[in-house]
Amino acid sequence: MGASTVEILASHAGRAQQATDVGGQAFARLLKHAESGDSGQQRRAALFIAATYNGRVHSFDLFELRAVDVDISDAMLSCLDALRWGRSDLYRLVPHGEQRVRGVIRQWGLGAARD
């Protein structure tokens, strides 16, 4: 017999919380990398961060996932999983997140950091 609705909802809640926790940690790593990394891939990380902040203003080409190191693309995928579950905006999961994201957008000349 299949799982009950309550069991399914509980399972989804657990998955959502885990994705949010992992995604928040991954977002913090990407944010730090965009602020001060030295791999030469900081701009791609900044573009991704900007798109997660406001995708209507800042777009991100998913093929960029192929152009970054595995650790960076893994972090991006963890962020996407967290966004899929929709528990929180990623920038709210890191200390001073909105201020830091806006700073990255300015630092990399990605245009206005509109809401």
Side-chain angles (χ1 to χ4, degrees), residues 11-102:
S11 171
H12 285 184
R15 286 179 64 192
Q17 187 59 55
Q18 181 180 11
T20 301
D21 294 344
V22 171
Q25 294 168 7
F27 190 76
R29 290 192 306 274
L30 287 172
L31 192 52
K32 182 176 179 183
H33 182 72
E35 291 170 327
S36 61
D38 62 358
S39 73
Q41 299 175 8
Q42 299 92 325
R43 182 170 180 80
R44 286 186 171 104
L47 288 167
F48 180 84
I49 288 164
T52 65
Y53 181 68
N54 187 338
R56 288 181 296 250
V57 174
H58 306 284
S59 62
F60 182 77
D61 182 350
L62 293 176
F63 282 94
E64 295 288 348
L65 290 167
R66 296 178 175 179
V68 294
D69 293 340
V70 171
D71 290 344
I72 294 171
S73 63
D74 284 347
M76 289 174 174
L77 290 172
S78 293
C79 289
L80 290 175
D81 195 36
L83 287 172
R84 172 176 71 129
W85 288 101
R87 288 276 190 166
S88 177
D89 291 322
L90 292 171
Y91 69 87
R92 295 180 189 273
L93 301 174
V94 298
H96 312 289
E98 186 168 23
Q99 176 185 355
R100 292 174 65 196
V101 168
R102 287 175 174 265

